[in-house]
Every structure is written in structure tokens, then in C-alpha cells.
Amino acid sequence: QVQLVESGGGLVQAGGSLRLSCAASGTAFSIIAMGWYRQAPGKQRDLVARITAGGSTNYADSVKGRFTISRDNAGNTVYLQMNSLKPEDTGVYYCNTESYYYTVVRDYWGQGTQVTVSS
């Protein structure tokens, strides 16, 4: 199986920055893509940013130009640099990976990290 460990959430004022990290570990897995999802209170979990094993990225329209997703050279750790944060960015941020586990494609999730942006 695959384990995802997140870090970097916290409380920040509007206009500030935070950097989230997520490290994937396990055996017999091959990453297809990693990403970050956000869930605000009472709302569904939505994609924030995603990066594929080939390096292609996509972002939610609401974060384009402010957030940057990247990964380390090994490809097992993904980062989300969040700048110019707004109160509407508040929520629990979940790391996700779509990976082959042996020959089966599966989704794995981290435990979530809280990001709170005060106005």
C-alpha cells in the first residue's frame, strides 16, 4: 500500500504564504500523478492542483497565478506553494496520489492538513 504524510498547514493572514509538503512511501507502487484537494466546511472536496509523473500540471481557476505545485527529483514528494492567500482558501487540504499498486490503479489520500486564512 501507499502512505501519504502531509505537513505545512497552519494559520496565516490574508496575503501571506504557506508551503505544504506531502511524502509518499510504500512498496510496489508507481506514481501516475499527485495532487492537492481542498475541502471547506460544508462543501465538497475539490481539486486545487495536480502534477503528473511526466511533470504536467493543472490548477483550479481560483488558484492560478497564486499557487504552484512541484515535486522532488525522486517524484515521491509533492509541494504546494501558496502565495497571496485569501480567506476563501481556508479548508482542509488533502494530498492525493493516483498510483499503480502492482498492476491496479488506486487512489490514496493523506490525513489532511488544516489551512486557515484570516482576513
Side-chain angles (χ1 to χ4, degrees):
Q1 297 291 339
V2 179
Q3 294 79 43
L4 299 175
V5 178
E6 304 149 335
S7 62
L11 172 65
V12 64
Q13 289 189 332
S17 298
L18 283 174
R19 189 188 194 214
L20 306 182
S21 300
C22 174
S25 63
T27 58
F29 75 102
S30 176
I31 293 173
I32 299 170
M34 294 187 75
W36 291 94
Y37 288 71
R38 176 172 68 202
Q39 188 165 21
K43 296 189 177 181
Q44 66 182 21
R45 190 177 298 185
D46 292 325
L47 176 69
V48 175
R50 183 175 181 266
I51 185 167
T52 69
S56 297
T57 59
N58 62 290
Y59 296 89
D61 287 343
S62 61
V63 307
K64 285 180 180 176
R66 299 188 298 122
F67 291 12
T68 303
I69 191 169
S70 62
R71 58 183 184 163
D72 68 350
N73 288 336
N76 288 354
T77 299
V78 66
Y79 307 96
L80 185 67
Q81 179 65 42
M82 305 186 292
N83 298 329
S84 302
L85 282 160
K86 304 176 180 180
E88 51 264 44
D89 295 319
T90 294
V92 179
Y93 284 68
Y94 294 92
C95 180
N96 166 270
T97 181
E98 181 184 5
S99 295
Y100 281 103
Y101 179 64
Y102 290 100
T103 60
V104 177
V105 177
R106 292 184 175 177
D107 273 309
Y108 298 92
W109 295 91
Q111 78 282 0
T113 185
Q114 177 70 45
V115 171
T116 302
V117 184
S118 63
S119 57

